[in-house]
Amino acid sequence: MAAASFARAERLNQLPPYLFAEIDRMRKEAQAKGADIIDLGVGDPDLPTYPHIVKRLQEAAADPSHHRYPSYAGMESFRQAVATWFQKRYGVTLDPNGEIISMLGSKEGIGHIPLAFVNPGDVVLVPDPGYPVYYSGTVLAGGHPVLIPLRRENRFLPDYSRIDPADLKKAKMLFLNYPNNPTAAVAPVEFLRESVEFARRNHLILCHDAAYNEMSYDGYKAPSLLQVEGGKEVGIEFHSFSKTFNMTGWRAAFAVGNREILSGLAAVKANLDSGLFEAVQEAGIAALLGPAEELEEVRRIYTGRRNVLVDGLQRAGFQVEKPQATFYLWVPLPQGVRSVEFCAHLLQEAAIVSTPGVGFGSYGEGFIRFTLTVSEERLQEAVERIRKLRI
Ligand SMILES: *Cc1c(COP(=O)(O)O)cnc(C)c1O
């Protein structure tokens, strides 16, 4: 069979190689051998969606009025619920007609936004390390990603003064994500202010990915870009049900902010999808307007897990700090140790799955990421195994 007869489009060849392939292979090998694997690799909550949300979906799915094509922007009641929630949570008033749209998961919106505004050759500023979709969405739109390093000495915030002016001149868009995946860093509101100013000065569309805004600890509350003066003039913000409400499988999210930017995104989406299943929107309304205790309970569970793993790693000699948000730990490795090799070692010697930092970009080298998506007991077991390795 001539394998080359369906040559892939150039744009696919420009995407970075899948760096987790080797780890995946080793994980399967260990699994086949019957190893008792502790998986701290995937960014996917192990906890179930709250029962009242599931129940709302079940009822709404049985209602034939929800069986037809939904509206592109989302039901009016859904957008109204988002506005109510946003006002209560952030003190920001949003117009449900134009400043809020539904999405099929925030990955969908993030992946599509460059198609609306980026011409071939335009630069998009992408954090490194970062969630891979900022880069791939840019490449698929024919844009040119320019990586902006997130350095530990700068608390994993970009240093705008170090961006090459030639790149900046061609730049059209900037992606930010705080609380951050993979570094678990948070951004003070002053940094968001500086970013709005930077975007305004350089005429950039600022896309803030707020997937972890509600997943925080010790009373920390992550700010919204739209709380900052001028935020709505330069940017949009992506919010997701996935991590907040343990709903990764439901594919439900929304974008809020500048109406001109949102209408560009909506124009792309109108040509590629037909909106979010209304029954899922009903469940989303139940999530947003539902009791806050469940979210508190989930925060408490992650706090306990975070403490077990951070304390254990510190005792084993790792210089890891307690994150204020996200369900990740971003762990610096001893000087000169490569992240892929370290992950392979952890998997082979301790049956622990982790993610090599370099998979999120070259500035992720020298770190690994752990996810807090197993029970405290299993994390305790992971700590025991790591301690025995004597790293
Ligand atoms: C998980 C994640 C998302 C994707 O969320 P969905 O709404 O499920 O598509 C977006 N951004 C970051 C940084 C994430 O970690």
Side-chain angles (χ1 to χ4, degrees):
M1 211 162 59
S5 57
F6 298 111
R8 287 187 175 183
E10 262 317 302
R11 67 178 71 86
L12 278 189
N13 296 332
Q14 284 168 26
L15 295 180
Y18 183 63
L19 276 157
F20 308 133
E22 179 63 10
I23 301 285
D24 283 352
R25 191 189 59 73
M26 287 191 310
R27 183 224 310 257
K28 286 198 187 105
E29 206 175 274
Q31 249 155 1
K33 279 193 210 142
D36 175 24
I37 291 177
I38 302 177
D39 192 344
L40 309 181
V42 291
D44 192 352
D46 57 315
L47 304 166
T49 307
Y50 312 148
H52 79 95
I53 300 173
V54 175
K55 189 156 164 285
R56 187 69 197 105
L57 174 77
Q58 287 168 332
E59 291 162 4
D63 177 350
S65 77
H66 291 317
H67 293 173
R68 309 188 70 188
Y69 283 120
S71 78
Y72 287 118
M75 298 187 295
E76 201 175 324
S77 55
F78 176 82
R79 286 178 279 120
Q80 190 57 59
V82 170
T84 302
W85 177 80
F86 220 85
Q87 179 74 55
K88 186 164 167 222
R89 166 67 174 89
Y90 294 110
V92 172
T93 306
L94 295 172
D95 180 358
N97 294 309
E99 293 184 336
I100 300 170
I101 61 170
S102 64
M103 291 187 305
L104 315 180
S106 57
K107 183 180 192 177
E108 181 263 304
I110 292 164
H112 283 148
I113 186 76
L115 284 176
F117 294 100
V118 174
N119 283 313
D122 284 349
V123 161
V124 175
L125 301 172
V126 170
D128 173 2
Y131 183 62
V133 186
Y134 316 131
Y135 189 100
S136 54
T138 299
V139 166
L140 292 175
H144 176 55
V146 166
L147 298 170
I148 47 174
L150 306 184
R151 295 183 172 89
R152 191 185 185 194
E153 59 267 30
N154 202 33
R155 305 204 67 80
F156 302 108
L157 301 172
D159 181 350
Y160 296 128
S161 70
R162 290 170 80 156
I163 298 172
D164 184 340
D167 288 334
L168 201 45
K169 227 165 131 184
K170 287 187 274 182
K172 195 76 193 281
M173 189 175 280
L174 162 66
F175 279 105
L176 291 177
N177 163 224
Y178 292 97
N180 185 259
N181 175 15
T183 69
V186 298
V189 76
E190 298 78 55
F191 171 77
L192 294 183
R193 221 171 268 140
E194 180 193 341
S195 301
V196 166
E197 199 36 52
F198 174 72
R200 198 180 354 225
R201 229 178 18 249
N202 295 288
H203 203 63
L204 301 174
I205 290 173
L206 174 45
C207 296
H208 185 229
D209 179 354
Y212 297 95
N213 262 38
E214 312 316 313
M215 187 179 278
S216 56
Y217 311 108
D218 311 328
Y220 173 76
K221 278 195 168 290
S224 162
L225 174 70
L226 303 185
Q227 287 175 304
V228 173
E229 199 190 325
K232 213 194 267 181
E233 270 112 78
V234 298
I236 61 170
E237 189 163 76
F238 296 101
H239 288 261
S240 174
F241 291 91
S242 288
K243 317 285 167 48
T244 308
F245 300 104
N246 304 321
M247 290 172 69
T248 47
W250 298 52
R251 314 312 306 133
F254 52 91
V256 293
N258 182 274
R259 33 177 101 237
E260 201 183 328
I261 302 172
L262 288 178
S263 88
L265 176 56
V268 171
K269 283 171 58 55
N271 285 284
L272 293 173
D273 69 66
S274 298
L276 177 60
F277 181 27
E278 287 188 354
V280 172
Q281 294 187 51
E282 291 286 2
I285 295 169
L288 289 174
L289 304 182
E293 294 86 61
E294 283 158 326
L295 193 48
E296 279 309 317
E297 168 68 8
V298 168
R299 284 194 184 109
R300 211 171 51 241
I301 290 170
Y302 284 126
T303 304
R305 293 174 176 183
R306 176 198 68 166
N307 294 347
V308 165
L309 191 55
V310 171
D311 293 346
L313 287 171
Q314 284 175 345
R315 279 200 306 276
F318 288 90
Q319 288 178 11
V320 58
E321 291 170 39
K322 282 200 173 119
Q324 283 180 284
T326 77
F327 54 20
Y328 303 114
L329 295 190
W330 187 239
V331 184
L333 300 176
Q335 194 67 34
V337 176
R338 298 179 63 82
S339 57
V340 171
E341 280 157 30
F342 191 87
C343 286
H345 184 68
L346 264 190
L347 185 50
Q348 280 166 338
E349 303 302 320
I352 295 169
V353 178
S354 57
T355 308
V358 73
F360 300 99
S362 61
Y363 282 85
E365 186 53 283
F367 294 86
I368 59 166
R369 191 191 74 177
F370 286 127
T371 309
L372 302 171
T373 46
V374 302
S375 69
E376 270 187 48
E377 293 71 44
R378 292 295 277 169
L379 288 171
Q380 200 63 60
E381 165 71 17
V383 164
E384 292 307 318
R385 292 185 194 176
I386 289 169
R387 220 172 359 199
K388 281 192 197 124
L389 290 180
R390 300 191 175 283
I391 296 151

